[in-house]
Amino acid sequence: SAVDSAGLLLTDGSEPMAEVLRELDRVARSDLPVLILGPTGSGKELAAGEVHQRSGRSGPLVPVNCSAFAEGLLESELFGHLKGAFTGAHQDRRGAIEAARGGTLFLDEVADLSPRLQSMLLRVLQEHEVRRVGSDHAVKVDVRFIAATHRGLEELAEAGTFRRDLMFRLQGAVLNLPPLSERRHEFPFLLPRLVLRAAKAAKRPVPALAPGLPQALSRLPWPGNVRELLHVLERAILRCEDGILKPR
């Protein structure tokens, strides 16, 4: 839910996360495409949800993970297809771009798009229309684009594997999410929120936090960032005996 996602992004008002949230707030209500950068597990999908939530757009948020499909399947997933367009296309199907009309399309792991799909996506961003696979008829779409990646698009553009023109299109605004190691000072503020969410996921009552727990956890490296910390808390809550979460 929106409350959950805001809780994990929210900050005690200190940097670097506070700056990210200020920028998020500045751009949310515009139609600018947003590029969200940050290491794995830093909350990129939460930030996308938050941009959509604050955008005031009436349509849905439609997420597509670009690394989860083979190229042909991803094309159909994004653009839809006509019945008979390829073997197994038994009926017309609208793709994610059409499904996101009036709302937001979230392209996660956008760096994994093939060169062909990159140029097709560029056309959508330029012309605001989409063609289903097997169709020569274009449909107008009003869609706000949010893309996310943990890979450096600039380096990929240098190497020639990501189109520079598409990169410029996608980065109407850029949100750079910090790793959890840069948010250590927020642990006393963040931890109660994360514990609420972890208890809900584990279907257990919310435990009390032992004194010194946020400080003890903030000293650990957390290479998997917020996602890793959440999973650790879920496991700890399942083992929590007396309703108090202790450092051990």
Side-chain angles (χ1 to χ4, degrees):
S1 80
V3 176
D4 283 358
S5 68
L8 299 198
L9 285 173
L10 273 177
T11 162
D12 57 353
S14 54
E15 309 304 346
M17 204 59 183
E19 176 51 41
V20 175
L21 284 174
R22 283 196 294 274
E23 180 64 9
L24 191 154
D25 216 39
R26 277 195 288 269
V27 302
R29 295 195 76 83
S30 73
D31 286 329
L32 281 175
V34 177
L35 179 64
I36 304 173
L37 303 173
T40 303
S42 58
K44 294 186 289 295
E45 44 304 281
L46 296 173
E50 197 60 23
V51 172
H52 175 69
Q53 196 64 32
R54 298 186 195 191
S55 70
R57 293 180 71 86
S58 57
L61 171 68
V62 179
V64 176
N65 187 330
C66 301
S67 64
F69 300 91
E71 185 191 31
L73 284 175
L74 183 56
E75 180 180 353
S76 169
E77 183 71 21
L78 286 170
F79 294 87
H81 58 251
L82 292 190
K83 181 179 176 179
F86 50 83
T87 312
H90 300 307
Q91 58 197 52
D92 289 2
R93 179 179 185 275
R94 66 176 187 163
I97 300 172
E98 276 184 77
R101 272 170 137 165
T104 307
L105 180 74
F106 173 47
L107 297 169
D108 202 3
E109 299 303 351
V110 73
D112 292 354
L113 283 176
S114 69
R116 184 165 156 275
L117 287 178
Q118 287 176 36
S119 57
M120 290 173 74
L121 184 63
L122 182 64
R123 205 170 307 132
V124 178
L125 281 155
Q126 286 168 339
E127 293 161 21
H128 305 287
E129 55 183 40
V130 63
R131 276 186 181 79
R132 292 185 185 183
V133 179
S135 170
D136 47 16
H137 171 66
V139 183
K140 280 282 177 206
V141 286
D142 161 32
V143 170
R144 201 278 176 83
F145 286 85
I146 302 179
T149 175
H150 67 282
R151 297 162 70 188
L153 287 188
E154 186 56 60
E155 294 90 271
L156 295 175
E158 285 287 318
T161 56
F162 200 86
R163 293 183 66 121
R164 198 170 281 278
D165 46 5
L166 177 57
M167 178 181 80
F168 289 139
R169 277 274 170 184
L170 290 173
Q171 55 190 27
V174 178
L175 300 178
N176 235 319
L177 296 189
L180 193 54
S181 59
E182 287 176 23
R183 302 181 65 190
R184 296 185 191 286
H185 52 285
E186 287 181 52
F187 270 62
F189 180 85
L190 261 182
L191 209 62
R193 292 165 183 274
L194 289 169
V195 165
L196 275 178
R197 190 175 168 126
K200 194 169 154 193
K203 299 187 173 63
R204 287 294 177 89
V206 180
L209 306 187
L213 179 66
Q215 292 74 12
L217 291 178
S218 76
R219 287 193 282 272
L220 299 174
W222 305 113
N225 298 296
V226 178
R227 189 185 296 143
E228 182 190 0
L229 176 53
L230 251 180
H231 290 328
V232 165
L233 289 172
E234 277 173 42
R235 289 201 302 275
I237 285 169
L238 290 173
R239 295 202 184 93
C240 178
E241 302 289 302
D242 48 6
I244 300 171
L245 213 51
K246 302 186 181 79
R248 66 182 173 77

